[in-house]
Amino acid sequence: MALADTERGGEGFPFPEIVELNVGGQVYVTRHTTLVSVPDSLLWTMFGKKSPKELARDGKGRFFLDRDGFLFRYVLDYLRDLTLVLPDYFPEKSRLQREADFFQLRDLSKLLLGPRISKDNSIGEEICPSDTEDVAPPPCALGATDTLRTASAVALPSSGPRSPSLDSRKSGYITVGYRGSYTIGRDIQTDAKFRRVARITVCGKTSLAKEVFGETLNESRDPDRPPERYTSRYYLKYNFLEQAFDRLTEVGFHMVACSSTGTCAYTSNDPNEDKIWTSYTEYVFCRE
């Protein structure tokens, strides 16, 4: 019977009308018809040609896909009406292209290679800020001195390494936040148990944060932030605060301020029990 169903292209398969997906840890709920809306795509093959027993599931029974959970939202959005609509500032265009190729969505891949599509579905030739490192302003918008400086910078070979002196001209501030906790034992104890939270936040201008931290910057919490706007939602893929300090020092930043606050609580109603201290500290770095 299962073989006969397969030959009929999936008719009669017991997929529910509403399908729950776990894509890289992100949960999505959609219709079965949406997943099979593009013939010959990977999802069409999975949910139209196979049975549920053949597909991987997570611990809660949801169908599991080991792909980028954040970018899948755009894949699913495309499957609903076969239209690509991206935010005005979308820094993950090349990665979404990779996802389109993986899911065998050829038309989506062609759209990503073509003119950029904005929120209002208008097509333009605007270059996505993430697709180029430095876009030189038009000479008419510059003074004579700035025009010469820009012309000399553009004349540099693109294949060569980027000069550190160019980075140092981009002045600005970056604030690194860190939350941690530790337990102070009873008075008769001399040791303290530390429990650190591996979450180091970054506040500052988006373009400057990306320049400094690159791939170690997790942008999933604020993916559509324009380059010249400020954000306080990024965090680093570091396990130690000193790694962030080292990176900031390497690119010419130095610490100019530090602020910390903390709270204390008992682990139980007994005042003789351990005390848990929780602190939050911010370090302000500057490059002039």
Side-chain angles (χ1 to χ4, degrees):
M1 183 64 183
L3 180 59
D5 287 340
T6 302
E7 292 176 349
R8 291 200 303 270
E11 295 179 4
F13 275 7
F15 280 102
E17 180 184 0
I18 305 300
V19 179
E20 291 190 50
L21 303 174
N22 177 349
V23 185
Q26 299 288 330
V27 177
Y28 291 91
V29 180
T30 186
R31 291 184 177 275
H32 177 259
T33 53
T34 300
L35 296 175
V36 297
S37 60
V38 178
D40 298 324
S41 66
L42 179 62
L43 292 172
W44 179 84
T45 301
M46 293 175 61
F47 293 92
K49 303 286 287 184
K50 295 183 179 182
S51 68
K53 294 181 179 179
E54 298 178 76
L55 303 181
R57 295 176 182 258
D58 65 6
K60 295 185 177 180
R62 295 174 293 221
F63 296 106
F64 178 74
L65 296 171
D66 190 15
R67 301 302 297 179
D68 191 311
F70 164 72
L71 292 178
F72 189 75
R73 60 184 287 196
Y74 298 105
V75 174
L76 192 59
D77 192 39
Y78 170 78
L79 292 175
R80 292 189 177 107
D81 53 16
L82 303 182
T83 303
L84 174 62
V85 181
L86 297 178
D88 291 333
Y89 295 94
F90 186 69
E92 306 287 351
K93 190 175 180 181
S94 60
R95 295 184 180 181
L96 182 56
Q97 172 78 52
R98 183 179 61 186
E99 296 302 302
D101 292 338
F102 175 82
F103 287 108
Q104 302 171 14
L105 297 170
R106 299 177 182 85
D107 290 341
L108 175 58
S109 183
K110 291 178 181 178
L111 289 173
L112 288 167
L113 290 173
R116 185 169 177 270
I117 300 177
S118 60
K119 280 181 178 178
D120 58 1
N121 211 24
S122 61
I123 300 179
E125 298 297 333
E126 179 186 354
I127 299 176
C128 184
S130 64
D131 294 338
T132 178
E133 253 189 331
D134 293 302
V135 179
C140 59
L142 302 172
T145 304
D146 292 333
T147 302
L148 292 175
R149 184 183 300 115
T150 302
S152 62
V154 174
L156 293 174
S158 59
S159 59
R162 191 173 181 181
S163 171
S165 61
L166 295 179
D167 289 336
S168 63
R169 295 175 187 173
K170 296 181 180 179
S171 60
Y173 291 86
I174 289 182
T175 301
V176 177
Y178 184 76
R179 189 181 305 278
S181 64
Y182 57 93
T183 300
I184 297 181
R186 296 179 291 275
D187 294 338
I188 61 174
Q189 295 177 327
T190 58
D191 63 338
K193 299 178 182 178
F194 290 85
R195 184 176 70 255
R196 297 182 179 275
V197 179
R199 178 59 58 87
I200 304 170
T201 60
V202 173
C203 308
K205 185 177 289 187
T206 300
S207 59
L208 194 59
K210 290 183 179 180
E211 173 206 325
V212 173
F213 295 108
E215 293 297 323
T216 62
L217 189 71
N218 192 315
E219 306 172 44
S220 62
R221 297 178 63 205
D222 201 1
D224 305 328
R225 178 67 57 175
E228 298 307 309
R229 297 290 295 275
Y230 289 85
T231 180
S232 61
R233 296 177 60 81
Y234 290 165
Y235 64 89
L236 298 177
K237 302 174 185 178
Y238 287 143
N239 294 324
F240 300 97
L241 187 63
E242 290 77 9
Q243 291 174 291
F245 291 175
D246 289 344
R247 178 57 188 161
L248 286 162
T249 302
E250 290 172 2
V251 294
F253 280 82
H254 62 278
M255 189 185 302
V256 295
C258 175
S259 158
S260 182
T261 183
T263 59
C264 174
Y266 290 100
T267 58
S268 68
N269 294 328
D270 187 352
N272 295 321
E273 291 296 324
D274 295 344
K275 300 177 183 178
I276 299 179
W277 288 84
T278 301
S279 64
Y280 177 73
T281 307
E282 287 188 340
Y283 306 88
V284 182
F285 289 81
C286 175
R287 184 171 68 186
E288 300 176 350

